[in-house]
Amino acid sequence: QVQLVESGGGLVQPGGSLRLSCAASGSIFRFYAMGWYRRAAGKQRDLVATITSGGSTNYADSVKGRFTISRDNAKDTVYLQMNSLKREDTAVYYCNARESKTATLWYDYWGQGTQVTVSS
């Protein structure tokens, strides 16, 4: 069973920084892409950032220029560096891994989530 474990969440003041980590139970090379999603209270879960096995990245417009997604294959870990945090970034952040079964079939795995609260 694939396990994704997030860490690094917490309370930070506006303008501050946090780095989230997502540790996978096995080598992340098998995943087509990994990413971060978030869900604020009372809202849907939205894309934050993704990174493919080939290194391509994608960001939500709301975080572009402030957040950076990266991976360390040797550590089987994906990171989300969050700078210039805003109150509207407050949410539960979830790690995602997409595994390609065939050319047309895939499966998404999810972590348990980690709370990020931006408040003064």
Side-chain angles (χ1 to χ4, degrees):
Q1 182 78 275
V2 172
Q3 290 186 336
L4 303 173
V5 180
E6 301 100 331
S7 62
L11 175 65
V12 64
Q13 295 186 25
S17 298
L18 284 174
R19 188 176 76 158
L20 305 183
S21 298
C22 173
S25 59
S27 177
I28 62 175
F29 82 91
R30 68 188 185 277
F31 299 122
Y32 167 75
M34 298 190 70
W36 292 91
Y37 294 72
R38 67 186 182 186
R39 178 157 52 204
K43 298 184 178 181
Q44 67 183 23
R45 182 161 60 187
D46 293 324
L47 168 74
V48 177
T50 61
I51 184 167
T52 69
S53 59
S56 297
T57 58
N58 184 51
Y59 297 91
D61 289 341
S62 59
V63 307
K64 193 171 185 178
R66 299 188 297 119
F67 291 9
T68 303
I69 189 170
S70 62
R71 68 176 189 266
D72 186 334
N73 292 334
K75 296 181 179 180
D76 298 321
T77 301
V78 174
Y79 303 96
L80 183 68
Q81 179 66 46
M82 305 185 293
N83 298 326
S84 302
L85 283 161
K86 305 174 180 179
R87 287 183 173 85
E88 51 262 45
D89 295 318
T90 295
V92 177
Y93 284 70
Y94 298 90
C95 182
N96 166 267
R98 175 162 287 186
E99 183 176 23
S100 178
K101 301 292 186 180
T102 69
T104 58
L105 180 65
W106 66 91
Y107 189 84
D108 284 333
Y109 301 92
W110 296 92
Q112 81 287 349
T114 185
Q115 177 71 46
V116 172
T117 302
V118 184
S119 177
S120 60

